[in-house]
Amino acid sequence: MEEMTVVHFILEEEGRGKKRRRGKWEYHVEKESLPVSGTLLVLYTVFLPFFCYKKKEWTAERFSEYFKGLPIPPQSREVYYLYQEKAQNFLGVGAEPISHDWLLFLIKYYQVSFDALILLPDEEMETEDIIRRYVKNTRYIGIASEETEDILELRESLFQEYGCLIDVAADMKKLHIPAAGRKLAVAGEELYGAVPGLFKGAWVWISTNTDKKNAARLCARVENVRYIDMKTFLRGIRT
């Protein structure tokens, strides 16, 4: 069975990495496994202690030693690190965009069906693979992007192979998105000029970005848009 993993970091504000100065590191990690959509979903919750021991603050060296000993898998395409805001500030890190594997898993998990596919890509998005997976069963494909050489080559290749002419425009408002039917938007951080008036018909918006809230705020203003990101997914799993 395919396995996908989320490691969720939470700051334990009164927590201590050791009970005594010369004691062993103490880890507070909870793990649960859930079979969902033919996939084994593994959820780790890591409670990070604010103090090293007693009320002593961490040094960079001690915390690095502590963190390396955490019984969790390293980040990968199948393993996503999600941070509570306080834990994120404590660690001084930002959440990475979800991987291509996670994007495909979310589409499967939510059983998203669509007639039109709209991509608002960032550098990490595997645009060509997404399109090739769904081109045969999709009536419209639009990409918000400058007409780069890569995009033009992809457009020509897909037209020759499938007779599909991809709609490309640097601004989402200039795409010829059909008003009727079900739409799936896959977007990174950039919104490419998206405004509520563009959302005709039923939409699902999957954000590959976890930290930025612009897309979530946009979708909250429109009744017919379902917004999905890693945080909404995790909340749904745990309710």
Side-chain angles (χ1 to χ4, degrees):
M1 181 181 289
E2 179 189 21
E3 187 172 302
M4 302 295 287
T5 301
V6 179
V7 182
H8 191 201
F9 294 91
I10 296 175
L11 183 62
E12 198 169 33
E13 296 186 51
E14 296 300 322
R16 294 161 175 78
K18 292 181 178 181
K19 289 184 178 179
R20 295 177 299 277
R21 181 175 182 177
R22 298 187 182 278
K24 294 181 179 180
W25 295 122
E26 297 189 1
Y27 296 106
H28 182 184
V29 178
E30 297 177 358
K31 177 184 177 181
E32 58 182 317
S33 300
L34 304 169
V36 293
S37 303
T39 300
L40 183 64
L41 179 64
V42 183
L43 303 175
Y44 289 85
T45 304
V46 179
F47 297 90
L48 296 172
F50 186 79
F51 298 105
C52 182
Y53 64 94
K54 293 186 178 180
K55 293 289 184 177
K56 301 293 183 179
E57 295 185 359
W58 291 98
T59 64
E61 183 179 1
R62 282 178 175 267
F63 189 77
S64 176
E65 179 186 340
Y66 172 86
F67 195 87
K68 288 178 181 177
L70 280 167
I72 57 174
Q75 291 187 83
S76 68
R77 290 175 67 97
E78 297 83 21
V79 179
Y80 186 75
Y81 281 13
L82 182 66
Y83 305 93
Q84 172 208 45
E85 187 173 353
K86 289 182 179 179
Q88 187 168 306
N89 294 335
F90 176 72
L91 293 169
V93 298
E96 296 289 330
I98 64 172
S99 69
H100 188 62
D101 300 63
W102 266 104
L103 170 63
L104 298 178
F105 171 79
L106 291 178
I107 293 173
K108 182 175 71 170
Y109 174 77
Y110 287 101
Q111 299 180 338
V112 181
S113 57
F114 50 92
D115 307 300
L117 174 64
I118 298 91
L119 301 179
L120 287 71
D122 54 21
E123 291 182 1
E124 290 80 12
M125 191 177 295
E126 297 182 25
T127 304
E128 182 172 352
D129 186 77
I130 297 171
I131 292 173
R132 289 187 179 279
R133 284 177 180 272
Y134 301 109
V135 63
K136 292 181 180 180
N137 300 308
T138 305
R139 298 176 187 173
Y140 169 88
I141 297 175
I143 305 177
S145 170
E146 298 288 345
E147 290 190 334
T148 63
E149 184 177 345
D150 288 344
I151 290 293
L152 292 176
E153 287 180 359
L154 175 61
R155 191 181 191 186
E156 182 179 353
S157 172
L158 292 170
F159 181 72
Q160 291 177 351
E161 292 181 49
Y162 302 103
C164 171
L165 185 60
I166 298 176
D167 191 10
V168 179
D171 192 297
M172 190 173 170
K173 293 188 287 292
K174 295 181 180 180
L175 292 174
H176 303 86
I177 303 170
R182 303 158 299 172
K183 275 78 100 177
L184 169 62
V186 178
E189 180 180 346
E190 176 62 47
L191 299 184
Y192 292 93
V195 293
L198 293 173
F199 296 97
K200 309 296 184 183
W203 285 71
V204 173
W205 182 296
I206 298 181
S207 178
T208 62
N209 187 281
T210 302
D211 282 346
K212 303 298 181 181
K213 299 179 181 178
N214 294 343
R217 294 191 187 102
L218 171 68
C219 294
R221 296 165 59 191
V222 188
E223 291 185 1
N224 54 321
V225 178
R226 182 178 189 181
Y227 175 81
I228 298 168
D229 65 11
M230 282 298 292
K231 289 183 178 179
T232 62
F233 166 69
L234 193 61
R235 282 198 296 269
I237 285 291
R238 289 183 162 169
T239 56

